[in-house]
Amino acid sequence: MSGDPATRAWTSLYAFVEAQGRRAELAEALGFSLGGGRGKVLTRLGDGPLSLRDIAVEIGVDAPYATVIVDKLESHGLVERRPHPDDRRRKLVALTDTGRRALTTVEQILSRPPAAMERLTDAQQRTLLDLLEELTADDA
């Protein structure tokens, strides 16, 4: 691999994360695929109900596509639309009990470190964590 260290590090990090994909495991655990932004919406709703407009902004899609995503999640019984308490013309989208259980499953699967992490010593893992926290500090 050629290039400057930043390019090489990014390429390696990206390849590592991509190789650890958990889509198949998630699909098997949930009984359906979370593609098409559904996983992002499910995760965002873990913090509480959102309007369709807020969902669209949160995940960076247009309102019609946010509606498609919510419709799909609703068809699986993961979310429900509720009247907005301050504006009867608007709806809020909230997790159902089934949606909360699904979110817990998703979080457990996605937070489990890949086996390759065991090749690093504790000190190396702490160094990696420090570096990644430094890189993501502005995103918080």
Side-chain angles (χ1 to χ4, degrees):
M1 177 183 316
S2 62
D4 64 279
T7 300
R8 291 174 51 210
W10 171 246
T11 302
S12 294
L13 181 60
Y14 188 81
F16 177 76
V17 171
E18 285 292 305
Q20 309 309 314
R22 307 266 169 87
R23 287 179 190 248
E25 185 179 355
L26 286 168
E28 183 177 331
L30 298 173
F32 55 88
S33 171
L34 269 181
R38 294 185 292 272
K40 288 180 184 179
V41 171
L42 192 68
T43 301
R44 297 301 193 293
L45 291 174
D47 294 331
L50 294 169
S51 69
L52 282 168
R53 183 180 322 153
D54 291 337
I55 289 170
V57 170
E58 288 268 334
I59 67 166
V61 299
D62 61 21
Y65 189 56
T67 300
V68 168
I69 292 170
V70 169
D71 287 347
K72 190 68 169 178
L73 290 171
E74 193 172 39
S75 75
H76 289 292
L78 303 177
V79 302
E80 64 185 1
R81 288 175 170 93
R82 299 176 180 166
H84 193 287
D86 301 327
D87 184 350
R88 293 182 350 170
R89 296 170 293 170
R90 293 175 50 203
K91 298 284 186 195
L92 290 177
V93 179
L95 291 177
T96 62
D97 289 341
T98 301
R100 280 188 278 286
R101 286 190 299 276
L103 178 57
T104 298
T105 298
V106 168
E107 289 171 339
Q108 288 171 343
I109 290 171
L110 294 180
S111 67
R112 188 181 65 243
M117 294 291 288
E118 294 174 14
R119 292 195 308 251
L120 301 177
T121 65
D122 288 345
Q124 289 172 320
Q125 289 176 15
R126 278 192 292 281
T127 299
L128 178 59
L129 174 61
D130 290 344
L131 292 169
L132 291 170
E133 285 178 345
E134 175 69 25
L135 290 172
T136 59
D138 291 340
D139 296 337

